[in-house]
Amino acid sequence: MLMLEIVFVMFLLGMLLGFVGAGGSGFIISLLTVAFGYPIHVALGTALAAMFFSSLSGSISHYREGNAVLKTGLIVGFTGAAGAWVSSGWSTYIPEGRLGMLTSIMLFTSGLALWLRLVLVSRRPHAAGTESPVLNSGLRYWLYALLIGAVTGMLSGLFGIGSTPFIQLGLMLLLNMPMRFAAGTTMLVIIPIALAGGAGYMRIGYLDLQLLLLVVIGTMSGSYVGAKFTKRVPAFWLKVSMVITPMIGAAILWL
């Protein structure tokens, strides 16, 4: 019964994550620790590894829908993977109670940061010719892409989260990427970050393979379905969902 409950809950969560272009590791951590009682270090490693599979499924769907920028996703993603591998072992030095609190704060802050960014975007002039072009080449592009990857990758490895809002924020703010493409590209970025971070947690013994399988079955199937709605649902609802998703996860973990 417990196994079926985990799969069902993760399927519903996967639909939401696929819709907003999130790997959802932070939300998974919240549910595993609060709803199902797993230790937070095990939840961190399992959720980060599971995020690889859910992001893989969602990114395929996003790419087919034309939402993902492959070049940027690969550059940011592999840089982030290096950062996640380095920082994944640092969580062992943080006490369990403090780690849960820090992860919760990080999730809430990420949602708040994304909300502030969306407010700024909504206040931009929309007249023709006033929008800056998307940055996709040159030295500044490479510096920004590497910076986004390194910072978000290290946050992912340390706190077991996908840093989705921070990745989306970086893509929109530094590379001037439209919101729909930021959502799809972010899911592509998360693939190598989650793989490297999950491998790092396996190395230090914080990975439950049976739990991982249950989480993957639910989130991977749900994520593929949810990604179909990204460009079919009004932009307002996408904005709202992108902001409240990490905040809900933070609230659950905090409580």
Side-chain angles (χ1 to χ4, degrees), residues 40-66:
I40 190 166
H41 286 93
V42 174
L44 285 173
T46 304
L48 191 55
M51 190 170 58
F52 166 79
F53 297 96
S54 62
S55 298
L56 179 61
S57 175
S59 64
I60 291 174
S61 185
H62 273 293
Y63 186 75
R64 289 178 176 175
E65 295 289 326

Side-chain angles (χ1 to χ4, degrees), residues 18 25 46 67 92 120 177 186 247:
S25 181
T46 304
N67 298 332
T92 59
L120 293 176
M177 188 176 289
T186 294
M247 289 186 171

Side-chain angles (χ1 to χ4, degrees), residues 182-200:
T185 304
T186 294
M187 187 154 278
L188 181 62
V189 168
I190 290 172
I191 294 175
I193 290 179
L195 181 61

